[in-house]
Amino acid sequence: MTQIIKKIQVSKDFKYKSLKTCVVKIWSICVLTFLLFFWGQGGLFAHPMPSSMVILNIHEKNISGEIQLPLNELQSAIGMGVNDHSAHLVERLGDSLRIYLLNHIRPRTFDGKLWKVELGEMNVIETKSKLSGDYKELIVKFSMTPPQSYDLRNFYFDYDVILHQVASHKILISIKQDWQQGIIAEDSTFQEVGIIELDIPTGTIKPFQMSLQQGSIWKGFKSMVLLGTKHIAEGTDHLLFILVLLLPIPLLVSSKKWASHSSVHESLIHILKVVTAFTIGHSITLLFGALGWVFLPSKLIEVLIGVSILVSAIHAIKPIFPNKETYIALGFGLIHGLAFANTLENLKLDTAKMIFSIFGFNIGIEMMQIFVIIAVIPWLIILSRTSFYSNFRVLGAILAGISSIGWIIERLAEKPNLVTSLVEKATKYHLFILAFLILISLLSYFYHGIKLKNQKM
């Protein structure tokens, strides 16, 4: 009986140990599988294969755009070593690539009529991505034109570049410009409209249906007002010109030097004349330039803008055209207007939309310009009533002059330099600079007042 009990106990211990061992093994396998799975997923998510991008600009009569094709994915689709041997790719295989692309970009109307597709410039660039790793892309400019009298805002975009061979590939479609929707090409953000990918249940690639909202003139106009304000807010050179030109405005000339200050009323009238002249000048060339009636190379325009700041800075130190600031503002305003016009000309709008755009853009420019002047000029006028203004004016003019020389060199050499890099960094602290100006103006004014009071006593 004792032996039987012992055998039963041994049997129970063996079963318990076997069960324990089995559970441990199963648990170990589960943990290992879990770790392997998520390690693999981590690798997958750390370096997913890059997608293609199709970026569209909606115009009045056609759609232009840019295709961004990752070369590693393109090589998987067509071979030809386009990724492994990407040097001089366009020169070597440009014709073959164009034929391939035209066979796989087939926009058509809802009733099946094909659009006309034209390919433009192609080039290879290096793309750096934390998500996908570094890779090379083929950038292709293209345009699509619908049959006459057909709506270009509603069509089938039958596109399967790369995707016809690489089933896991995705094609992201975005809108960069659509004036009626208030989407402007100058903006850095795109509006994503959809993704073309393999339809897994059917194993087919379905044409993407583009159905863009009609939008309105009001949306386009409003976007241009915002673009005008943004252009001035980010256009340090335009603002610096007008502010430096206004630096000596509160002062009077005596013996070819800046001397005593004028009355507040006289200063405000003079400021109004200068700002109005600048507005008239840039409005004229903005209109003529945007409509294509006047043209100057953009490089020359940007250099001349730098020159305008330099001339204003010299005048702020020593009067070279006293009481003629209004004419200088008008003349250089013509140059600045051509720079504004380049922004609108790139939108490629029809005449009616261009006129609305010019009007809205100009309103935006004036709104931001007036805002900056209201924020700055009162403190300059207050400071001009003190003995500190002379040093402040000269220091401000010297800094503006150095900045202008930096911009001129940058635009001639077509690459940034130390001065322009420092100016760009400084503009990020514009609110602190304004606060510093206000503080200096108030302290100088009160100190000057106390000093005068003590002198009288």
Side-chain angles (χ1 to χ4, degrees):
M1 187 69 179
T2 304
Q3 290 179 347
I4 292 172
I5 291 172
K6 285 182 179 181
K7 284 182 180 181
I8 292 172
Q9 185 66 41
V10 170
S11 177
K12 285 182 178 180
D13 292 343
F14 176 77
K15 287 180 179 179
Y16 173 74
K17 289 179 180 179
S18 299
L19 180 62
K20 183 178 180 181
T21 303
C22 184
V23 169
V24 169
K25 286 182 177 180
I26 292 172
W27 173 250
S28 300
I29 291 170
C30 288
V31 170
L32 182 61
T33 303
F34 178 84
L35 291 174
L36 286 172
F37 175 76
F38 278 97
W39 177 83
Q41 289 294 309
L44 177 64
F45 289 133
H47 297 287
M49 298 309 291
S51 302
S52 296
M53 283 195 70
V54 179
I55 302 170
L56 303 176
N57 301 311
I58 313 301
H59 305 296
E60 187 68 19
K61 296 181 180 179
N62 74 335
I63 296 175
S64 66
E66 179 181 285
I67 302 169
Q68 300 174 359
L69 302 169
L71 287 184
N72 50 0
E73 293 281 271
L74 183 61
Q75 181 169 291
S76 299
I78 65 173
M80 296 193 289
V82 294
N83 186 55
D84 296 337
H85 308 287
S86 60
H88 307 292
L89 176 64
V90 176
E91 291 85 347
R92 292 187 296 106
L93 299 173
D95 292 339
S96 299
L97 290 170
R98 289 176 186 277
I99 292 170
Y100 166 73
L101 291 170
L102 288 172
N103 287 332
H104 293 275
I105 305 173
R106 303 174 298 271
R108 64 176 189 268
T109 63
F110 287 158
D111 58 2
K113 293 185 178 181
L114 290 175
W115 288 32
K116 181 182 178 181
V117 178
E118 294 179 315
L119 300 181
E121 178 186 352
M122 295 194 299
N123 63 291
V124 175
I125 65 168
E126 296 273 352
T127 300
K128 297 185 179 294
S129 171
K130 293 181 180 179
L131 185 65
S132 303
D134 298 347
Y135 60 94
K136 298 173 184 176
E137 282 187 309
L138 177 66
I139 307 298
V140 184
K141 304 289 185 182
F142 75 106
S143 66
M144 307 183 296
T145 306
Q148 191 172 2
S149 74
Y150 273 83
D151 182 11
L152 60 70
R153 303 185 71 83
N154 295 280
F155 63 97
Y156 286 125
F157 189 42
D158 192 355
Y159 177 104
D160 62 355
V161 176
I162 298 178
L163 183 57
H164 69 103
Q165 288 291 342
V166 183
S168 61
H169 193 68
K170 296 183 186 298
I171 300 151
L172 311 179
I173 305 175
S174 299
I175 302 292
K176 184 179 181 181
Q177 177 186 320
D178 185 356
W179 191 88
Q180 291 185 13
Q181 287 295 321
I183 304 170
I184 303 300
E186 286 290 312
D187 201 342
S188 59
T189 58
F190 302 153
Q191 179 177 300
E192 188 173 309
V193 293
I195 300 175
I196 299 176
E197 57 187 336
L198 181 69
D199 185 52
I200 295 176
T202 62
T204 60
I205 304 167
K206 296 181 179 180
F208 185 81
Q209 182 175 329
M210 294 286 292
S211 295
L212 304 174
Q213 296 180 10
Q214 288 302 319
S216 65
I217 290 177
W218 168 245
K219 282 187 177 180
F221 176 80
K222 185 170 68 172
S223 68
M224 297 311 300
V225 173
L226 294 174
L227 182 62
T229 60
K230 179 183 176 183
H231 195 78
I232 288 296
E234 297 177 353
T236 310
D237 48 1
H238 300 295
L239 280 178
L240 192 58
F241 165 72
I242 195 70
L243 289 175
V244 174
L245 190 61
L246 292 175
L247 265 179
I249 292 296
L251 303 177
L252 297 173
V253 177
S254 176
S255 301
K256 297 182 179 180
K257 294 181 180 180
W258 295 115
S260 60
H261 58 79
S262 58
S263 68
V264 173
H265 180 263
E266 290 174 331
S267 298
L268 292 176
I269 294 297
H270 203 167
I271 289 168
L272 181 62
K273 287 180 179 179
V274 170
V275 173
T276 302
F278 182 67
T279 299
I280 292 171
H282 74 64
S283 297
I284 291 171
T285 45
L286 172 59
L287 175 63
F288 289 177
L291 294 175
W293 298 347
V294 176
F295 173 78
L296 280 180
S298 59
K299 185 175 181 178
L300 176 60
I301 294 170
E302 295 300 327
V303 170
L304 288 175
I305 288 173
V307 171
S308 72
I309 300 169
L310 181 59
V311 171
S312 299
I314 294 171
H315 176 66
I317 297 172
K318 181 179 177 62
I320 53 179
F321 39 82
N323 299 319
K324 292 183 175 61
E325 292 87 359
T326 302
Y327 302 108
I328 299 300
L330 177 64
F332 280 126
L334 296 172
I335 301 299
H336 286 250
L338 289 174
F340 299 151
N342 284 339
T343 302
L344 298 188
E345 191 178 11
N346 294 333
L347 300 180
K348 298 179 181 178
L349 301 172
D350 63 51
T351 304
K353 289 178 182 175
M354 181 60 79
I355 291 172
F356 275 107
S357 296
I358 292 169
F359 186 50
F361 189 71
N362 216 25
I363 288 175
I365 288 173
E366 298 315 313
M367 285 171 59
M368 182 54 68
Q369 189 173 275
I370 291 169
F371 175 78
V372 171
I373 289 172
I374 290 174
V376 173
I377 291 301
W379 310 111
L380 291 182
I381 292 175
I382 290 173
L383 193 59
S384 70
R385 268 58 189 161
T386 72
S387 58
F388 296 101
Y389 190 63
S390 178
N391 293 331
F392 178 86
R393 171 177 50 80
V394 172
L395 178 61
I398 290 173
L399 292 176
I402 293 171
S403 300
S404 67
I405 293 170
W407 277 319
I408 292 170
I409 294 172
E410 178 189 65
R411 288 155 187 180
L412 289 172
E414 297 184 350
K415 61 179 181 180
N417 52 60
L418 177 61
V419 172
T420 55
S421 298
L422 289 174
V423 170
E424 185 177 353
K425 289 179 180 178
T427 55
K428 295 178 181 178
Y429 300 96
H430 57 277
L431 291 178
F432 292 101
I433 294 172
L434 178 60
F436 178 75
L437 172 62
I438 294 171
L439 181 62
I440 290 295
S441 299
L442 293 175
L443 290 176
S444 300
Y445 184 77
F446 287 123
Y447 175 80
H448 184 72
I450 293 170
K451 187 177 179 182
L452 288 177
K453 188 176 180 181
N454 291 336
Q455 286 176 353
K456 289 179 180 179
M457 292 175 64

